[in-house]
Every structure is written in structure tokens, then in C-alpha cells.
DNA sequence: CTGAAAGCGCTAACAA
DNA sequence: TTGTTAGCGCTTTCAG
């Protein structure tokens, strides 16, 4: 039974109790870097138990110069897609003894900067970063020398590591899928138009249409936010000008909003209007109808991201990962 | 323009540059605890800029004995309800200069323990904790002396602070709502039966039925997991024995699963069968039909949780927060 | 108002 | 194999 600790028990106490030196206690706890005689080791272990000693990770971090901590900076953890990324990342990081500091920017650019600064002060050994907007604070991070992987589409600025699917291609593919269903009028609901991934998804959509000689109609591009509400609003906006045959929502939240609005308008998916989306999560398999969506390999991304941070610095700046078209019923497939 | 730093620049460098002592640099950076002459202050500020100095939070934490860090231990961050809690918590914590260490246990009891230990070593100043199962590691936490708020229903063990809605009452109320719709046969889909919140939700359901003289039928209690898939399976299980008029899914994920299965079976909600659930998130407002659900005041919970940690130790062990019935269409309301 | 110096708890180089 | 000790970068007391 551990002693009651009035004063925090430190390694000195353990050493005294075990009748040995602090160094030996360290060696036992860390299994190195020096070997310890079995008998001594047992005495130390006993002393640790008796004193109820717990190592202080902060002191260890200071002395060893390693915090075993990564920072995760994202716009909003309650976005299911980002939550699934966070889930995978923390799992992967923990495999390597690392823990994640959660930096949820609440969709605020100001907050995002504060968070990055804060995490940097805390000596995170790497940052996994998806920015709220098109101008991530990479200079801030780089000037600190902290390893960083962006999960965003990013200006091909020098030295930034980024992990991403080829969004233009993915958008092309999913639009193409709609075209193969025979749809000719295909609308797109976008996020903020200045964002690079918005532009990529948009241009993938355009490419597919152009390739199929379908022509691009301005009226079917509805740019706004990557939110449920915006998806919802977009439908009502479309209602005024007449609906396309199919809609490409550029993220899953928007698609949820679409489903709701379409149901209110008594429009059936996919019979009356087809719907597909980007970056679906498992929830897309549970909507009615199930959503056809571009699915990112979240586990692979997490694995790769941690890998990049661990092998820092590395050359391969931009790293592309495969996406997958997850076919649901919402596009017309049965 | 900051110097290129071969060696990390520390406070000593700044002091030298400013022609003052390290203590003064501290006073300037922390705005205390001693006052500094304006002129000196300016010199220090200039030196900081010139050297590109960044304080080391780890060293600060060690010296000051305060990490400004809380740990969040939950079964799975990709559960939307927990994600919304995490979102609110991080926001609230950050207001007070604190950051969250994310401990996603991946629904594993073993992992959960490892995480708690890990976070404890890291000297978190508080833990916000929802356990994977009915036996949280409170002894572990308490023996470390770390403040802790459970967001679970918890055995009234001594000294554990917990923040929770009255789940029994909430379950009663929502079941009652179904009864008021005129439903007599009301099924319930539960999580693992040994968990306390499962039992609470179950007994709230029973209370409402008994009170209305409706009698309790064993066959309409389907216990399993708090997952989408279990909700899905439960419907097919019910199909074999005939459906009740209404179903109470005891979390939102299960309800999503129900919606999918019911759609597959061409059963309309609420016309053919009504559905309500527990702990809905904003997503419940976007399903078709929208879900009637017990909604927890996530922001208030976060605020209160941080408050409890900050005012540690505090007497009020178990603290109840209000829930809210969010009415959707799934119960039959229009 | 400012400087010197003693820690915070641990690591690891150096000695023994 | 083990002990001693000088840091890690910062805070803060105690003297000036």
C-alpha cells in the first residue's frame, strides 16, 4: 500500500527507499540506457510500489528534449469527417507512444492562429493541420522548425508536407459516375469559392462535364459553406431556378442538408433527383438513401501522417493517397 | 528579422541581448510577478524579436508546476455526440488558457487504462472522463490526486465528481411522449445491459409504461451495443417477432441504424412505426424524418466541467444538468 | 526596479 | 554495475 503522499514523491525518494542512486532508478524505469543488476532492479521496483511513485512526464520531457506529443489543428472536431481522422490519428500516434493535443479552431481563423502558437509553445513534435481557410499559417510553423503535415490541399509552397487525395480527379470521377447514369444537368454545391479544395472539386466537376460535351451552366454552381445548413439552403435556392437532374455536394454535411430539404419538397432521391457527395463517412452508409460518396482512406492517411512526422525531415513534400468511390443508392445505383 | 538559430535560443540569450538579467525577461513575458521599468521592458521586447525567442512551455510547466492541460478520455471521438462534447470542452478550456489532450480509447478497456496512465504521467491538471464500460478507473485517477469529472452515470462511489443528466427521468419523459401519441406497444433498443446508463434508460422506459398501465414485454427489450449497426440489426430482430408501434433507441447511432433498416423494409417513420432516441446531435435535425430526441446541453456541460476542474476540490459530487426534449417528426409530431 | 541563484524532476555523461 | 552531478529552460525568492 503506497504511503500517503504529503509531498510529491520523486525519484530521490525512490532511490533512498531502494538504497540506491537516482540514476539506477532511471535505468530501471526506462529499461536503459545502462543495464541494472536483477537484484537491484527488484529493490527499485519494490521501492516504486511502496512509495507510490509516478514519474513526472514534464520533467522527463524537459530533460530529454522530447515531449512525445503531436498537435492536431482542425476547423471543427464535430465535423464527422474530421472526427474520423482524429480518431485514426490518435490511435496511430499512440502506437508510437505519442499523444495528441486537440486544437479545434471552431472555424475561426483567429482562434486557429492562437492554437498553433499555443501548441508550438508546448513543444509539440509535429503538427497535423487542416486550416480553416485558404491561407494556413505555414510560416509560423516553419519558423519554429516544427514538423508539419497538412491534410489540406495547399499552395505548392516550398517545404510544406501535405497528404491529400487528388481532389480534382475524385470530383471528376464522381461527376463522371453521374454522367454514366445518363444525367445531363448536374448541379454542384460548393464551399467557400476562394478555398483551394473548393476550386479543385469544382474543376473536377467541370472537366467531367466538358469531356462529356455537357456544357457548364453557371446557375448550377452554388457556392457557400461546407455546412449542413448550406446544403439545405442550396436546395431551396435551386428550387427557384429549377432543379438539375443530379447534384454533387462537395462535402458530406452539405449532402445531409440536401437530403433534408429534398424530403421537405417531396422530391425523392434518386428518383426525382440524384445526389452524391465528397468525403463521406460511415454515416453516409446510414442515410436514406445511402449516399454515393468519395471516401478518403482515413486509416491510411493517419498512418502516413504519423510516419511523415516521425521521419522528419523528408523530401516527399506532397504525398497523394488513393480515394475510393463508395457507391450508395443516392446516385441511382441499386 | 530573427537570427538563424543553430542552437535553440533561450531566455539567457534574450537577457544577454537586452543587457539585463533572465529574471527581468521573465517578468516582461509574464507581466509579473515583479514590475519592470518601461525602458527595460522595451529593450527586452526588442531582444525577443531580434533573437526570435520562443518560450518553452515545458520548462515553464516544470518550474511553475502547472501544465495548463486537461485530459479528455472518451470511448470514441468519432461518435458525433462525443465529438460535440469535445468541441465544446476544448473551446471552454482554451478560454482559460488550457488545452486538451485527446484520449480516444477506441472502445477498448485496455486502451482506456493505458491512456489514463499516460495522461496522468503528463501531469494533466484534470481529466474529463467517459468510460468505455461500467467500471471506470477511478481508483487510478484518485490515487494520483488529479481532479476528475465523469460525464458518465457512475456508481455513487465516494468522491467522484460527475456531471450528468437525469437519464432515468429523460428516458421516462421521452417514452411518455410516445405514450401521449397513443402508442401502446413501445420497444426499446439498449446498449450493453451491464452499463449503468443502459439500466437508467431502460428503467425510465419501464416507469413510463408501468405508469400508463401498459405492461412491460421482455420481447421488446433489445440489448446490444451503442452502435449504428446494432440499431440496424435490432430492427431485423424485431421483424421476426413483429414490430411494436414505436421504438426508443437509446442513443443516436442506434437510431440511424434503425432508420436505415426500416427504410429497407419499406416501413415509414412515423406512419408505420415511430422512433425516438437519446443523446441526439445536430444530425438528428437532418435525418429524414427528423428525430425526436433527448438533447443534452453540451455547452453547459462543457462549461460546468471545466468549472469543476478549476475549483477543485469541490463538494458537489454529483451534479445534474437539464436535458431537453427536441421534437422532430419521427415520433409522429408534425 | 533589477540581479543572482536555488530549485522544478528527470536524463545521461562521466567517474568510480 | 552503480553513483555523482551537470544540465534541460523557466520561475521566483531573496538580496541588492
Amino acid at each position: 500500500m503506497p504511503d500517503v503522499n504529503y509531498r510529491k514523491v520523486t525519484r530521490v525518494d525512490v532511490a533512498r527507499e531502494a538504497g540506491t542512486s537516482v540514476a539506477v532508478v532511471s535505468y530501471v524505469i526506462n529499461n536503459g540506457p545502462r543495464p541494472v543488476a536483477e537484484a537491484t532492479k527488484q529493490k527499485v521496483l519494490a521501492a516504486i510500489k511502496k512509495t507510490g511513485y509516478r514519474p513526472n512526464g514534464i520533467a522527463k520531457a524537459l530533460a530529454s528534449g522530447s515531449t512525445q506529443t503531436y498537435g492536431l489543428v482542425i476547423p471543427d472536431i464535430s465535423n464527422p469527417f474530421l472526427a474520423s481522422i482524429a480518431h485514426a490519428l490518435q490511435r496511430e500516434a499512440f502506437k508510437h507512444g505519442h499523444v495528441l493535443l486537440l486544437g479545434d479552431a471552431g472555424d475561426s481563423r483567429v482562434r486557429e492562429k492562437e492554437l498553433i502558437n499555443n501548441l508550438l509553445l508546448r513543444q509539440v513534435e509535429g503538427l497535423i493541420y487542416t486550416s480553416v481557410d485558404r491561407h494556413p499559417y505555414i510560416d509560423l510553423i516553419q519558423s519554429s522548425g516544427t514538423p508539419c503535415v497538412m491534410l489540406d490541399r495547399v499552395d505548392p509552397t516550398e517545404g510544406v508536407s501535405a497528404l491529400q487525395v487528388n481532389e480534382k480527379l475524385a470530383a471528376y470521377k464522381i461527376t463522371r459516375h453521374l454522367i454514366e447514369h445518363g444525367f445531363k444537368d448536374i448541379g454542384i454545391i460548393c464551399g467557400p469559392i476562394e478555398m483551394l479544395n473548393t476550386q479543385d472539386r469544382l474543376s473536377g466537376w467541370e472537366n467531367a462535364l466538358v469531356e462529356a460535351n455537357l456544357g457548364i451552366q453557371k446557375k448550377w454552381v452554388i457556392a457557400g459553406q461546407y455546412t449542413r445548413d448550406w446544403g439545405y439552403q442550396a436546395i431551396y435556392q435551386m428550387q427557384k431556378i429549377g432543379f438539375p437532374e443530379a447534384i454533387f455536394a462537395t462535402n458530406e454535411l452539405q449532402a445531409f442538408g440536401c437530403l433534408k430539404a429534398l424530403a421537405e419538397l417531396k422530391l425523392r432521391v434518386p428518383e426525382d433527383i440524384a445526389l452524391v457527395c465528397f468525403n463521406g463517412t460511415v454515416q453516409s452508409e446510414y442515410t436514406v438513401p445511402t449516399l454515393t460518396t468519395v471516401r478518403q482512406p482515413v486509416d491510411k492517411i493517419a498512418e502516413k501522417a504519423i510516419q511523415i512526422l516521425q521521419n522528419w525531415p523528408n523530401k516527399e513534400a506532397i504525398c497523394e493517397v488513393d480515394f475510393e468511390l463508395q457507391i450508395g443508392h443516392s446516385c441511382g445505383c441499386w
Side-chain angles (χ1 to χ4, degrees), chain A:
Chain A
M1 157 100 73
D3 295 345
V4 180
N5 318 315
Y6 296 98
R7 193 174 46 87
K8 274 243 158 193
V9 5
T10 78
R11 234 191 16 187
V12 176
D13 302 294
V14 176
R16 189 186 315 111
E17 179 67 36
T20 136
S21 77
V22 287
V24 171
V25 178
S26 250
Y27 302 153
V28 170
I29 288 172
N30 301 330
N31 255 313
R34 308 266 62 144
V36 176
E38 187 56 29
T40 321
K41 185 171 179 176
Q42 291 311 324
K43 273 193 294 185
V44 170
L45 258 18
I48 288 177
K49 188 159 293 172
K50 170 151 186 216
T51 55
Y53 169 70
R54 296 164 180 281
N56 180 324
I58 295 297
K60 170 165 183 164
L62 179 59
S64 68
S66 153
T67 57
Q68 309 266 87
T69 305
Y70 293 132
L72 175 64
V73 179
I74 50 178
D76 184 353
I77 188 71
S78 56
N79 175 323
F81 175 67
L82 294 176
S84 72
I85 294 255
H87 178 74
L89 278 171
Q90 112 98 35
R91 187 161 144 281
E92 191 63 25
F94 197 65
K95 267 192 202 161
H96 303 276
H98 288 238
V99 154
L100 290 186
L101 236 17
L102 175 60
D104 176 329
D107 282 315
S108 147
R109 185 166 163 70
V110 176
R111 177 69 51 90
E112 180 174 302
K113 185 174 184 182
E114 291 175 359
L115 276 167
I116 292 174
N117 272 319
N118 193 296
L119 300 190
L120 253 22
L121 294 188
R122 289 166 190 273
Q123 314 293 110
V124 294
E125 296 178 336
L127 234 32
I128 299 127
Y129 180 18
T130 297
S131 180
V132 164
D133 75 9
R134 122 155 236 179
H135 301 290
Y137 296 99
I138 34 186
D139 45 341
L140 197 59
I141 299 169
Q142 288 184 332
S143 78
S144 80
T146 306
C148 174
V149 198
M150 304 269 327
L151 300 185
D152 258 4
R153 170 74 156 71
V154 139
D155 281 300
T157 318
E158 52 213 307
V160 193
S161 276
L163 207 52
Q164 56 197 221
V165 308
N166 184 330
E167 301 216 329
K168 203 177 292 193
L169 180 60
Y172 164 84
K173 284 264 178 81
I174 201 164
T175 308
R176 177 101 206 112
H177 182 80
L178 288 173
I179 292 173
E180 282 162 0
H181 268 288
F183 300 120
K184 302 205 179 314
D185 295 336
I186 301 175
I188 182 169
I189 300 174
C190 300
I193 201 67
E194 70 278 8
M195 291 185 69
L196 292 176
N197 50 18
T198 297
Q199 290 167 16
D200 281 348
R201 294 166 199 182
L202 189 57
S203 83
W205 168 82
E206 288 173 352
N207 291 162
L209 292 181
V210 167
E211 184 195 68
N213 289 314
L214 291 176
I216 292 163
Q217 306 216 33
K218 256 279 164 55
K219 68 168 180 175
W220 281 333
V221 177
I222 305 205
Q225 303 301 134
Y226 283 119
T227 60
R228 291 180 180 86
D229 185 56
W230 181 252
Y232 180 85
Q233 309 241 8
I235 293 299
Y236 280 93
Q237 211 154 308
M238 284 180 171
Q239 190 192 20
K240 296 183 201 145
I241 55 174
F243 285 103
E245 299 168 310
I247 296 173
F248 171 22
T250 53
N251 86 345
E252 192 188 42
L253 296 181
Q254 290 175 343
F256 294 153
C258 291
L259 285 176
K260 173 174 179 164
L262 290 168
E264 286 178 2
L265 295 172
K266 307 272 186 257
L267 289 169
R268 292 162 306 163
V269 178
E271 293 85 345
D272 299 321
I273 186 163
L275 177 67
V276 299
C277 75
F278 220 82
N279 286 358
T281 66
V282 59
Q283 181 63 25
S284 277
E285 304 173 37
Y286 283 86
T287 52
V288 180
T290 53
L291 287 170
T292 291
T293 179
V294 170
R295 195 81 185 261
Q296 295 206 21
V298 170
D299 290 330
K300 199 169 299 168
I301 289 176
E303 195 181 341
K304 191 83 187 164
I306 299 300
Q307 209 175 90
I308 291 177
L309 294 182
Q310 300 226 312
N311 303 329
W312 198 266
N314 30 26
K315 291 277 75 94
E316 36 158 1
I318 307 287
C319 174
E320 214 164 81
V321 298
D322 290 334
F323 59 88
E324 198 176 281
L325 225 57
Q326 175 178 301
I327 304 298
H329 297 329
S330 67
C331 61
C333 284
W334 288 97

